[in-house]
Amino acid sequence: MTRRLSAGDRPGAKGLLGPVCLVLSLLGWLLPYGEVVSVLALAAGAISILTDRQYRLDGLVIAGVCIAALQLFFGLLLFTMDLAGH
């Protein structure tokens, strides 16, 4: 099954999930507790990817999910180094 419709053509607020995901993932790197914001970005990306299957994947969502996942990985890495005493 190929997705034929552009992601920007989604009706209502679902069309804004791509930019919201990207902005939240970038804010995750700037805020003190950015992991929480990165989880919100991943949730917005998952909603965008998993709903309305007839629309194509948005490049902003893909970028936002990747950046948010890197933020969470980096935060987990720092947390485990802190627990290990490094």
Side-chain angles (χ1 to χ4, degrees), residues 8-20:
D9 294 336
R10 290 183 183 199
K14 289 182 182 178
L16 296 175
L17 285 173
V20 166

Side-chain angles (χ1 to χ4, degrees), residues 5-12 14-19 55-59:
L5 301 172
S6 174
D9 294 336
R10 290 183 183 199
K14 289 182 182 178
L16 296 175
L17 285 173
Y55 293 99
R56 286 182 281 186
L57 293 178
D58 190 4

Side-chain angles (χ1 to χ4, degrees), residues 43-62:
I47 290 170
S48 177
I49 291 171
L50 297 175
T51 59
D52 294 336
R53 304 283 296 180
Q54 70 269 22
Y55 293 99
R56 286 182 281 186
L57 293 178
D58 190 4
L60 296 175
V61 171
I62 301 299

Side-chain angles (χ1 to χ4, degrees), residues 1-84:
M1 179 178 122
T2 60
R3 298 178 182 191
R4 290 180 234 127
L5 301 172
S6 174
D9 294 336
R10 290 183 183 199
K14 289 182 182 178
L16 296 175
L17 285 173
V20 166
C21 178
L22 184 61
V23 167
L24 285 175
S25 64
L26 292 174
L27 279 176
W29 286 96
L30 300 174
L31 296 175
Y33 294 103
E35 290 82 9
V36 176
V37 180
S38 293
V39 168
L40 292 175
L42 284 176
I47 290 170
S48 177
I49 291 171
L50 297 175
T51 59
D52 294 336
R53 304 283 296 180
Q54 70 269 22
Y55 293 99
R56 286 182 281 186
L57 293 178
D58 190 4
L60 296 175
V61 171
I62 301 299
V65 166
C66 290
I67 293 170
L70 286 172
Q71 163 69 20
L72 290 176
F73 175 74
F74 188 68
L76 181 65
L77 182 68
L78 290 177
F79 178 70
T80 55
M81 286 180 63
D82 189 38
L83 286 179

